[in-house]
Structure formats: C-alpha cells, structure tokens
Amino acid sequence: MNTSSTPAKKFPTGTLVFGLILIVVALASLSRLVLHWSFDMPLLLIAIVAFAGIAMIFSGLASAGKSRKSKDEPPVPTDPNL
C-alpha cells in the first residue's frame, strides 16, 4: 500500500510487451539463419502480435481490477497516532 502523497507509478506494460516482441522476432530471425530452419515469418509475426495483444488485454483487466479494489479501500490516515 502506498502511504506517501505521490501516486504510485504505473507499470509500463506496453513497453514490456513491445520489447518482448522485438526479442522474439530477433531470436527467430537469428535462429533461422544459424540453424537453417525454414518457417513462415509472416505467420510467426501475426502469431506474436496476437499473443502480445492478448497479454495487453489481460494486463489491462488486471490493472482495472486492482484500481477498483484500491478505490473500495478506505484511505489510510496521514497521522500515525490515530
């Protein structure tokens, strides 16, 4: 629970998901060249973006649930002697 007067910073889910997309694409391209694999790159990119979208939807739902839960809790008194 955050007892300071500054609001908590939100976790940058979009940045994390975009970074994971780039890492997976880079690893897939590198493994394709090094290991001489043959797979459909456009289909792989579509699947990666689809899974990233699902991850962002779940993250948004979790954030909304967390926000709703924190609004239901009574505020913490600022004076610790109360």
Side-chain angles (χ1 to χ4, degrees), residues 3-78:
T3 58
S4 66
S5 61
T6 59
K9 292 185 179 183
K10 291 185 178 181
F11 186 75
T13 306
T15 305
L16 177 68
V17 170
F18 184 67
L20 289 174
I21 289 172
L22 292 178
I23 289 172
V24 169
V25 169
L27 288 176
S29 298
L30 188 65
S31 71
R32 187 174 170 188
L33 290 174
V34 172
L35 301 174
H36 304 291
W37 288 357
S38 177
F39 53 86
D40 191 11
M41 194 60 145
L43 184 59
L44 176 69
L45 292 176
I46 290 170
I48 290 170
V49 170
F51 285 124
I54 291 169
M56 291 186 77
I57 288 172
F58 281 128
S59 172
L61 291 173
S63 176
K66 185 177 178 182
S67 174
R68 187 176 344 141
K69 183 180 178 184
S70 67
K71 286 181 182 178
D72 293 341
E73 294 177 359
V76 178
T78 56

